[in-house]
Amino acid sequence: MFRDKTVHLALSLVFYSSLTVFGQWTAVTSGTTNNLNGAYLLDSGVGFVVGDAGTVVKTTNAGLTWSPVTSGTTNALHDVYFFDATQGVAVGEQGLILRTTDGGAGWQSVSSGVEDGLWAVSFSGVNGIAAGDSQDILYSTDSGSSWQIGQSGFFGPPLLGAHMLSSMAGFVTGQNAVFQPWVGNTTDGGAGWDFHPFYFDTKEGGGTDVFFFDVNTGVVSGIVFNDQGAIARTTDGGANWSTSFFAQGLQGVDFPIMTSGFAVGSVGEILHSTDAGITWTGQTSGTSANLNDVSFASDALRGIAVGNSGTILWTANGGEPGPTPTPTPTVTPSVTPRPTPTPRPRPTPRPRPTA
């Protein structure tokens, strides 16, 4: 008789020999090789980037593709802010302020009252500030249609960063005449300013960008004199600071939400914070270009980082690694031995009868 054999299938998982982690940021085509200096991305997916030689490029799909926009100037543009998909303000060299009300199709020059370069612009509602060379600070109460001078003509390095927290509260950052980073704050919409010099943990340097969560708690990105990057954080309105240092100088910072912030800088440096700027971890940018600014939609997922030589990086997942490919179960039949016939016993020969 045959021995009973059970035929079965063995499931085996086939894994990739090397697990692939998808890129955190993706380089996209900007259409220019000019240095790109400022960026602003709206929740609608409309965004604008400005740069040298009057460069303006626009996206309508959160940074995936870009098209050129005619600015009407050849002056370098350093920063940009948009209220919605149609209204925005850009600032740049020689006191230049441009304003659009038709989504960038046309730009009108607005008198700034200064001839110094302007490096940063920020609004909260209709109230905004712009800051730049000679430690100029301008303020507007009508969405950038007109500007007044808060201060101008001071000796020292430029103010490079600005953040309007509310209609009355705003902040600027840069470096003072004795090589200290400092932060200025206003409580009257930009007409008057109070400055707080500090050190990046005893090191001289300069602030490059600023973001405050409330009137007490905020961060300043910067560069110290050995070209290290620094992020200083205060919880008492700038009276005291704690500093973290990084390998590369930092140029821009943005917090779309308090629990997700981003900073960018030299040689493709991108940092991410999930605790309001207390700690930071590096993200893979995939570029060695110097990055000058970063901007995110309020979902903290869709974002753009911009830099030299026309560099634009795009992410749709907050710069985090994509999911690792899931191994697919593969059904592999096990080899089943052929049944072996049981040998039949040979009959035992009977002895022949003897005569």
Side-chain angles (χ1 to χ4, degrees):
M1 61 180 294
F2 289 96
R3 183 178 298 175
D4 184 27
K5 299 287 185 179
T6 302
V7 179
H8 65 278
L9 296 179
L11 291 178
S12 62
L13 292 179
V14 178
F15 290 90
Y16 293 92
S17 60
S18 61
L19 296 179
T20 302
V21 177
F22 292 125
Q24 296 172 320
W25 290 80
T26 301
V28 295
T29 301
S30 67
T32 181
T33 58
N34 290 329
N35 293 342
L36 300 175
N37 306 317
Y40 201 88
L41 183 63
L42 294 159
D43 285 351
S44 64
V46 173
F48 290 82
V49 170
V50 299
D52 290 355
T55 300
V56 180
V57 293
K58 177 180 180 180
T59 182
T60 57
N61 54 14
L64 186 58
T65 60
W66 296 84
S67 56
V69 171
T70 301
S71 68
T73 184
T74 57
N75 282 8
L77 297 172
H78 296 143
D79 200 11
V80 62
Y81 182 95
F82 264 74
F83 305 92
D84 53 38
T86 59
Q87 298 184 77
V89 176
V91 299
E93 287 182 328
Q94 299 175 3
L96 179 64
I97 299 178
L98 299 178
R99 186 171 184 269
T100 182
T101 57
D102 55 11
W107 295 81
Q108 298 77 44
S109 179
V110 179
S111 175
S112 67
V114 298
E115 296 181 355
D116 300 308
L118 297 173
W119 291 91
V121 62
S122 179
F123 279 83
S124 177
V126 299
N127 291 1
I129 53 176
D133 292 332
S134 301
Q135 297 175 11
D136 291 351
I137 305 176
L138 313 179
Y139 65 98
S140 173
T141 58
D142 53 13
S143 302
S145 296
S146 63
W147 294 82
Q148 292 76 46
I149 298 175
Q151 68 173 44
S152 181
F154 286 82
F155 173 77
L159 297 169
L160 298 176
H163 180 221
M164 201 67 182
L165 176 64
S166 66
S167 61
M168 292 290 105
F171 300 86
V172 295
T173 190
Q175 184 185 71
N176 63 16
V178 293
F179 311 116
Q180 289 175 291
W182 64 349
V183 166
N185 72 286
T186 182
T187 57
D188 58 8
W193 291 85
D194 183 26
F195 279 84
H196 306 273
F198 63 98
Y199 288 104
F200 289 129
D201 191 22
T202 74
K203 295 183 179 181
E204 296 175 334
T208 55
D209 204 358
V210 59
F211 191 98
F212 268 72
F213 306 103
D214 54 47
V215 294
N216 292 314
T217 305
V219 297
V220 170
S221 63
I223 304 173
V224 297
F225 277 102
N226 62 359
D227 293 330
Q228 277 185 300
I231 295 180
R233 187 175 189 272
T234 182
T235 56
D236 55 14
N240 296 282
W241 298 82
S242 59
T243 303
S244 300
F245 292 101
F246 306 92
Q248 306 298 334
L250 299 173
Q251 296 286 356
V253 64
D254 186 36
F255 275 84
I257 57 177
M258 194 169 184
T259 54
S260 189
F262 300 84
V264 299
S266 302
V267 199
E269 181 85 292
I270 300 181
L271 304 173
H272 184 217
S273 174
T274 58
D275 54 12
I278 298 172
T279 60
W280 297 80
T281 58
Q283 293 188 330
T284 301
S285 70
T287 184
S288 60
N290 292 340
L291 299 175
N292 300 319
D293 200 13
V294 60
S295 182
F296 267 76
S298 63
D299 58 16
L301 298 174
R302 297 168 296 154
I304 52 177
V306 304
N308 289 357
S309 303
T311 299
I312 298 181
L313 306 180
W314 166 85
T315 182
N317 66 348
E320 294 300 321
T324 302
T326 303
T328 304
T330 302
V331 179
T332 305
S334 61
V335 178
T336 304
R338 291 183 179 182
T340 303
T342 303
R344 293 182 181 181
R346 293 181 180 182
T348 303
R350 293 181 180 181
R352 291 182 181 183
T354 56

